[in-house]
Amino acid sequence: MSAATTLKDAQSIASWIVDVRRQLHRIPELKYEEVKTSALVQATLKELGIPFKAGMAETGVVGTVGPKDGPCVALRADMDALPIEEAVVSDFRSTHPGRMHACGHDCHTAMLLGAAKLLKQREATLPGPVKLIFQPAEEGGAGAERMCQAGVLDAPNVQRIFGLHVWPQIPTGVIGGKAGTFLAAAGELEIVIHGKGGHAAMPHFARDPVTTAAQVITALQTIISRELDPLVAGVISVTTVHGGSTYNVIPEEVRLTGTIRSLTLAGLKALQTRVTEVATHVAAAHRCTAEVSFPGNDYPPTDNDPHAWGLSQQIGRDLLGDAGVKTLEAVMGGEDFAYYVQGGVPGCFVALGIRNQELGAIHSVHTPQFLVDEAALPLGAAMHVEFAMRSLSELAATK
Ligand code: NI
């Protein structure tokens, strides 16, 4: 079947995909709480006659299309939302206060369900099984790692895996990516500066964690600007500062949180070591102590297999034309898709353009204004179908 047929088939179910996406958009759920989302995925797979396994890593679902035997390819979508109050007004606006699909995972899930529908129609032509992975908790919960631990890549063994992410930096009708490291290794940072509280009028009786925190925040910035090779990427961002309760009391402690990123896991570890050294010593210089920790999961970098990226580019050109493929620079965003490929399964994470100036689809992910050009959704579903079909043919031919 040609790429043109796939595109036509995907366009013919565009309103179905958009409808699924809007249903999901109304019910955004945070990491590991994707109960309604998971139920909707399961109900849809059931309706499509696709067998699935539910309850993996809490709310994860894995459907399988195609024969039992033969090479196996996986397609992955994430299902969780963010703790953001949606600012976009629409008739499918979030009905969950303080929660929003601000990273487009509703689109990812809907596109994969669209692909599931198309692949089911072509089931008889598939030379091997396609696993459809709907995972929880991409946003800081390392849902992908737990899906791997639950055996999502085993029995049958996945030989290649693909994921799509909506990308507001590139226009609808364009896909992007690169071979090698595409997304960063990322981890969370927490620093608690302990001092000694006191009356703000008598600072000499106290040990001030507020001024110390200010010094620590400033000092951390010189790790990147003065210690790191300027040609090597690294990020240290302190994003929250909490301390004190009133204007005339020096508090006991100040709590800082933030994020550290590098394009390698070793680079991330090196930055963590220096953050610990700088924070504890700067705090000591100011008669305070700093307790440094790296809570949560350190996501590995997302490495795209060169062959899988080559195939993705070919698919992009066939579906969207030569102008429909863009090579991107690596970005410092993190993505738990990394867990699927770090164990040696070749894979590719591809950016799907959703930018549309006219619609106002210009805002970054993770903002309350984030808006998606839904015309991209059937293109994403078509990409998924081609990822699976072409990879299966390649793998079947090389067996
Ligand atoms: Ni995301």
Side-chain angles (χ1 to χ4, degrees), residues 133-214:
I133 302 176
F134 300 88
Q135 70 152 82
E138 192 287 318
E139 300 289 353
E145 184 180 35
R146 286 189 54 185
M147 291 294 279
C148 290
Q149 287 163 353
V152 74
L153 298 178
D154 315 325
N157 289 338
V158 171
Q159 288 166 264
R160 210 178 273 174
I161 182 163
F162 292 88
L164 283 173
H165 204 296
V166 294
W167 217 261
Q169 285 79 26
I170 52 176
T172 301
V174 178
I175 60 135
K178 72 185 285 289
T181 303
F182 182 29
L183 293 155
E188 292 170 18
L189 164 67
E190 182 175 80
I191 302 173
V192 183
I193 314 276
H194 299 280
K196 181 170 176 278
H199 197 303
M202 290 164 263
H204 55 298
F205 291 135
R207 293 194 301 275
D208 188 354
V210 175
T211 49
T212 304

Side-chain angles (χ1 to χ4, degrees), residues 288-366:
C288 289
T289 57
E291 202 184 321
V292 182
S293 61
F294 307 102
N297 304 280
D298 290 343
Y299 283 12
T302 300
D303 291 319
N304 279 344
D305 174 69
H307 178 78
W309 168 237
L311 183 67
S312 304
Q313 286 176 286
Q314 191 56 53
I315 293 168
R317 279 192 290 271
D318 293 348
L319 288 173
L320 310 166
D322 287 346
V325 178
K326 203 169 150 64
T327 300
L328 301 177
E329 297 293 336
V331 288
M332 300 307 280
E335 171 50 65
D336 79 350
F337 184 81
Y339 287 101
Y340 297 112
V341 293
Q342 71 159 1
V345 175
C348 193
F349 194 66
V350 175
L352 178 76
I354 52 152
R355 189 179 188 83
N356 184 328
Q357 204 88 29
E358 268 170 51
L359 295 178
I362 53 169
H363 300 282
S364 169
V365 294
H366 294 216

